Amino acid sequence: MERPRPLGFPAWALGPYSDTRRGVIIAMKEHGHHAVRAHLGAVFAAGIDYLRARGDIPETGLLVPAPTRVSSARRRGGDPVAALCQAAAARLPGWAVVNALSTAESSADQSELSAVERADNMRTAVLLRPAARELVGKNVMLVDDVITTGATLRASAARVWAIGGDVAGAIVLADA
């Protein structure tokens, strides 16, 4: 994927942010369709298996869900991206999930911001959770549902690198 500003690590999208993918993502995040999470986890696992087979990513590592606000996860009946990661890891021997990141409750909603504003917002909005210490010296694969400007993934990687984790890449469901 090409971004207006380079990410600093490889990123793969499982496809474009098409009508079908948009519908599935909105159903999963905003309409409480929890069953979709397990199915998309299987899709993510297949994508990760493919990248491993090609030698693009390590054989094993840690899946780190993109950060979210605690209030958003509560409203959605749990963090959808974390649920995707759990479903994927269940199919990937040697992979585990670490919920290492969160988003500050005071941060602005990304959907209302320009690319520059998104980068500025996420620079301070991504926070480390206590579990982040598990990332030190480990291969990390960042996971998100959609990439637009890359601001969330870039800020997440900065936090992982700051504590000594190695960002092997990122995988997302859709590239907007």
Side-chain angles (χ1 to χ4, degrees):
M1 289 179 258
E2 293 295 322
R3 301 269 70 89
R5 184 170 159 226
L7 294 173
F9 52 89
W12 297 272
L14 300 177
Y17 193 57
S18 63
D19 289 341
T20 300
R21 279 188 183 77
R22 181 176 26 261
V24 169
I25 291 167
I26 290 170
M28 171 186 71
K29 290 175 75 172
E30 306 304 335
H31 299 299
H33 294 288
H34 292 224
V36 170
R37 298 172 181 187
H39 297 297
L40 290 178
V43 173
F44 271 103
I48 290 168
D49 267 341
Y50 174 75
L51 293 171
R52 286 189 326 184
R54 287 177 30 143
D56 290 334
I57 62 172
E59 284 296 313
T60 62
L62 301 173
L63 300 176
V64 174
T68 192
R69 288 179 192 82
V70 171
S71 61
S72 295
R74 190 177 316 114
R75 187 180 71 251
R76 293 174 173 154
D79 179 350
V81 176
L84 296 178
C85 288
Q86 290 294 341
R91 297 170 175 268
L92 296 167
W95 288 78
V97 179
V98 178
N99 291 308
L101 306 170
S102 66
T103 303
E105 290 292 330
S106 61
S107 64
D109 181 352
Q110 292 286 88
S111 66
E112 306 295 322
L113 303 177
S114 71
V116 170
E117 291 168 331
R118 285 174 183 233
D120 287 343
N121 183 48
M122 293 313 290
R123 199 169 288 115
T124 57
V126 176
L127 308 172
L128 291 172
R129 292 181 172 176
R133 65 181 161 269
E134 296 176 41
L135 307 181
V136 177
K138 301 288 175 58
N139 293 316
V140 171
M141 189 72 146
L142 300 172
V143 180
D144 206 350
D145 54 359
V146 179
I147 184 171
T148 305
T149 64
T152 301
L153 290 174
R154 197 176 299 106
S156 298
R159 295 297 182 272
V160 171
W161 287 324
I163 61 164
D166 180 23
V167 178
I171 189 166
V172 300
L173 181 62
D175 183 355

